[in-house]
Amino acid sequence: MIELKNIRKTFNPGTINEKLALDGVSLRIEEGEFVTVIGGNGAGKSTMLNAIAGTWPVNEGAIVIDDINVTGLSEYRRAKYLGRVFQDPMTGTAASMGIDENLALAARRGKRRGLRWGITKKEREEYREKLAELSLGLEERMSAKVGLLSGGQRQALTLLMATLRKPKILLLDEHTAALDPKTAKTVLETTQRIVSEHHLTTMMVTHNMRDAIHYGNRIIMMNEGKIILNIAGEEKKNLTIEQLLHKFEEVSGEEFTNDQAILSKKDF
Amino acid sequence: MDIGVLFSALPGNIAQGLIWGIMALGVFLTYKILNFADLTVDGSIATGGAVTVVLIISGWSAPAALAVAFAAGVLAGLLTGLLHTMLGIPDILAGILLQIALYSINLNIMGGAANMALSVTQYNLLVSLRYIPKTLLVTGVIILVLISLMYWYFGTEQGSAIRATGTNPAMSRAQGINIDSMKVLALALSNGFVALSGGILAQYQGFSDINMGRGAIVIGLAAVIIGEVIGNALVGKRMNFSIRLLFVVVGAILYYIAIGVVLWLRMPTNNLKLFTAIIVAVFLAVPYLKEKANNSFAKAGRRGNKIS
Ligand SMILES: Nc1ncnc2c1ncn2[C@@H]1O[C@H](COP(=O)(O)OP(=O)(O)O)[C@@H](O)[C@H]1O
Ligand SMILES: [Mg+2]
């Protein structure tokens, strides 16, 4: 369970670049919910996920994960509750380290890192099995440097790293946006499989409305730093892109202006 | 010019290379593993020399004095790390500040003297340029121990966290690594190595000098970079961490052999630093130019002209 209570965040306060990026965001996500997040460019989707991850402190409000108030914890301290996959495939892994070493780093998230071996034989076997489930052949080249992998392989690996130890929340920020459509689909399917296998509480930002409707059991839409739509249950299941766009116009009084969303509407 | 003179100087060159190789391992740790250009070393190598000489003169054994020199280097690196992580001072500047501060501190350690003699006839030293075979043996053993320790440490959870911090700080934070602590730790260790090498160097040359570290960072970088280029050429794909470390030391030895040749050619010693700068610039440029030669607009243009 995660709860955001009236979160506000202003970037560059007091300068001409001042930007109110989160304008009183409140949200409660129950254990095991899979929430997709949509909204135009600059709506505040990444900022909301970064607020949860603790990239910087919020200006107002509270963030509570399973009764633990994490608002005052720095990024590395709350990392133990979180699994994250980023938009840029470069961000989530250490390129000059091996596939197995990256997994071993993730396996120790939130634990004290002492002078025991950074990776054990037993772990390697565990990783081999988990990598095999990705069906990318990575289990055959476990000691290869991650820098040699393609973007899709890196995202799949990051996803595995994020979920190796069950996180209280899985945060996915457009994690397939940098991939070609076919690879994006594979990574999304993998995401779906891992999320349902482990009953992970998940927030997934996507610019693709179809994916937002297809995946997850709840959808929220953001605009100008606010959550303007929140649809769950049966209504979410039967949602169409037309309805979603219509609702957006109704609530915000504007037209939806995300080029990619419009593109994906066309190829719908 | 007698080639025999060149050969008779060789063991001494190798000894110096080994001593500076210890320093270069420290530079490797910050420059390559942590991705941090640390200029503290010019000061901390002299700190190691000053501490060692003062302690041995006041009756300490050479190994005990070296242990304290190591600790003094650790302290210097710790301070650079804290300036950087806690006070937000950029890496190069934090190192320069410590370097300048250490100049005064080193003078104070030596009781205000700019240099202090340490005669091998009066004290029981571990190494000396009078006893080169012993020096080769002692420094060789020390280097093997240090490389083994580094190989072990960077395979541990903590060492892996330092490597991750150097490669991708954002990812490291997301994996719950306190990257500030890792930086401070790595800087402290690195400067410990550097001060240790300063302490050994002071014994070898028979004195410590307030200026003995001037330009040390460039020599350390020269060793790291020469070692990398040569290592990649010789070992290629079979390269692993311990071999990389070994080649850092090889780089330092090759550097001092090159200096030996320069001296043998009777080039004016005033130009040694210039020569060093040129070596480092050349070795830094080689990988860049190689890449560019394969991937340049000039080549693309020639290919394009053939078509049109
Ligand atoms: N670190 C930052 N510094 C300054 N402005 C930022 C920062 N991060 C986001 N913003 C601004 O906040 C707004 C919301 O951005 P973001 O959350 O990235 O949007 P999106 O919904 O497209 O992910 C944008 O106007 C963006 O420019
Ligand atoms: Mg975004």
Side-chain angles (χ1 to χ4, degrees):
Chain A
M1 187 275 289
I2 177 166
E3 193 167 8
L4 306 184
K5 297 178 184 170
N6 199 24
I7 301 290
R8 292 172 74 88
K9 177 70 189 180
T10 303
F11 290 113
N12 309 311
T15 72
I16 49 165
N17 291 324
E18 180 168 310
K19 170 79 197 174
L20 177 60
L22 290 181
D23 186 5
V25 169
S26 293
L27 178 68
R28 186 187 162 94
I29 301 176
E30 299 302 332
E31 177 91 52
E33 271 193 300
F34 183 166
V35 180
T36 56
V37 183
I38 55 172
N41 291 327
K45 307 179 295 293
S46 296
T47 307
M48 177 169 73
L49 262 57
N50 289 339
I52 297 171
T55 311
W56 21 251
V58 295
N59 301 125
E60 268 176 53
I63 302 160
V64 180
I65 300 175
D66 275 6
D67 296 330
I68 306 156
N69 190 331
V70 299
T71 320
L73 297 184
S74 63
E75 186 174 8
Y76 85 88
R77 279 188 199 279
R78 52 175 107 162
K80 68 173 151 202
Y81 307 121
L82 305 171
R84 288 159 78 191
V85 186
F86 309 87
Q87 178 168 353
D88 181 353
M90 300 298 183
T91 312
T93 46
S96 68
M97 297 173 76
I99 295 174
D100 49 358
E101 289 179 311
N102 272 273
L103 285 162
L105 284 168
R108 287 160 180 76
R109 188 169 55 232
K111 296 199 179 139
R112 228 185 67 81
R113 290 168 207 261
L115 297 179
R116 276 161 305 176
W117 280 120
I119 181 166
T120 63
K121 254 210 175 102
K122 198 167 136 257
E123 273 179 88
R124 267 209 191 84
E125 286 316 306
E126 182 196 335
Y127 300 158
R128 188 183 300 283
E129 281 167 29
K130 299 222 161 165
L131 284 166
E133 287 171 21
L134 296 178
S135 315
L136 294 169
L138 296 182
E139 68 279 9
E140 299 302 329
R141 41 196 294 223
M142 290 221 302
S143 54
K145 302 264 180 289
V146 169
L148 300 171
L149 304 186
S150 69
Q153 290 172 327
R154 282 177 87 152
Q155 288 306 69
L157 175 63
T158 311
L159 192 63
L160 190 55
M161 288 165 62
T163 54
L164 198 57
R165 295 286 166 269
K166 187 177 177 179
K168 290 187 187 294
I169 314 286
L170 177 61
L171 300 174
L172 310 169
D173 190 357
E174 301 205 33
H175 67 308
T176 59
L179 309 176
D180 66 83
K182 197 166 151 258
T183 315
K185 186 153 192 298
T186 322
V187 172
L188 274 174
E189 300 282 299
T190 307
T191 307
Q192 172 75 57
R193 176 177 62 75
I194 293 179
V195 166
S196 52
E197 233 166 63
H198 303 281
H199 303 287
L200 298 175
T201 313
T202 304
M203 295 177 80
M204 179 172 92
V205 177
T206 172
H207 60 246
N208 186 315
M209 291 213 173
R210 203 171 18 168
D211 289 340
I213 292 171
H214 180 71
Y215 295 97
N217 44 27
R218 181 170 163 196
I219 186 167
I220 63 178
M221 185 185 270
M222 293 188 73
N223 190 44
E224 292 178 355
K226 290 192 173 88
I227 295 176
I228 57 165
L229 262 184
N230 189 343
I231 305 171
E234 281 304 305
E235 195 188 350
K236 151 87 167 56
K237 268 188 208 147
N238 304 323
L239 211 56
T240 65
I241 291 183
E242 270 68 26
Q243 283 172 332
L244 208 51
L245 288 172
H246 185 72
K247 285 214 180 231
F248 176 81
E249 279 155 30
E250 222 176 72
V251 178
S252 70
E254 307 165 32
E255 259 197 67
F256 197 86
T257 52
N258 188 326
D259 299 345
Q260 284 150 320
I262 289 172
L263 278 178
S264 64
K265 179 185 159 193
K266 274 190 193 137
D267 66 354
F268 182 65
Chain B
M1 269 175 288
D2 180 1
I3 192 91
V5 175
L6 182 62
F7 277 110
S8 65
L10 204 55
N13 296 331
I14 295 174
Q16 266 193 308
L18 284 170
I19 296 170
W20 282 87
I22 297 171
M23 186 269 180
L25 288 174
V27 171
F28 179 86
L29 206 166
T30 45
Y31 182 69
K32 280 289 171 185
I33 299 183
L34 191 63
N35 198 12
F36 187 113
D38 178 29
L39 300 185
T40 315
V41 296
D42 281 25
S44 56
I45 193 167
T47 305
V51 166
T52 304
V53 171
V54 166
L55 287 181
I56 292 178
I57 286 177
S58 64
W60 290 53
S61 75
L66 282 180
V68 179
F70 177 85
V74 165
L75 196 62
L78 203 74
L79 290 174
T80 303
L82 293 179
L83 284 184
H84 177 63
T85 57
M86 293 188 61
L87 304 180
I89 297 171
D91 53 358
I92 304 245
L93 206 49
I96 291 179
L97 288 178
L98 246 290
Q99 190 186 109
I100 289 295
L102 286 175
Y103 188 88
S104 297
I105 293 171
N106 295 342
L107 271 177
N108 282 320
I109 293 173
M110 296 194 288
N115 52 61
M116 280 177 94
L118 181 71
S119 165
V120 69
T121 53
Q122 273 178 317
Y123 302 96
N124 192 3
L125 304 183
L126 278 177
V127 299
S128 166
L129 46 75
R130 298 251 196 102
Y131 307 109
I132 286 187
K134 184 185 172 196
T135 301
L136 293 176
L137 185 72
V138 171
T139 48
V141 168
I142 292 176
I143 279 177
L144 286 183
V145 170
L146 290 180
I147 289 183
S148 314
L149 280 175
M150 278 176 91
Y151 184 76
W152 163 75
Y153 181 66
F154 286 101
T156 66
E157 295 176 337
Q158 206 169 74
S160 302
I162 291 178
R163 286 191 292 144
T165 301
T167 314
N168 188 344
M171 171 267 195
S172 303
R173 262 187 257 112
Q175 298 304 341
I177 294 170
N178 182 348
I179 65 168
D180 284 352
S181 307
M182 292 305 121
K183 286 182 182 175
V184 173
L185 201 58
L187 283 163
L189 266 180
S190 161
N191 281 286
F193 278 30
V194 172
L196 178 68
S197 120
I200 296 172
L201 183 62
Q203 294 180 50
Y204 178 76
Q205 62 192 15
F207 64 90
S208 73
D209 187 291
I210 189 70
N211 288 320
M212 69 191 263
R214 182 166 288 175
I217 180 65
V218 185
I219 298 177
L221 285 177
V224 168
I225 294 158
I226 294 172
E228 182 165 81
V229 171
I230 305 272
N232 283 340
L234 292 182
V235 184
K237 282 202 161 55
R238 277 170 298 130
M239 180 63 80
N240 68 27
F241 189 64
S242 51
I243 299 178
R244 269 180 91 188
L245 294 176
L246 211 57
F247 268 102
V248 169
V249 179
V250 170
I253 294 172
L254 289 178
Y255 171 80
Y256 271 96
I257 290 177
I259 294 286
V261 172
V262 170
L263 293 176
W264 176 70
L265 291 172
R266 304 243 169 99
M267 287 192 202
T269 48
N270 287 348
N271 293 340
L272 266 187
K273 302 262 185 209
L274 176 64
F275 173 72
T276 306
I278 292 172
I279 289 193
V280 174
V282 166
F283 273 86
L284 277 176
V286 163
Y288 174 76
L289 292 178
K290 239 164 112 183
E291 157 68 20
K292 227 178 147 193
N294 297 330
N295 194 12
S296 74
F297 281 109
K299 265 201 176 167
R302 278 195 295 276
R303 281 193 296 267
N305 284 340
K306 268 188 223 149
I307 295 168
S308 64

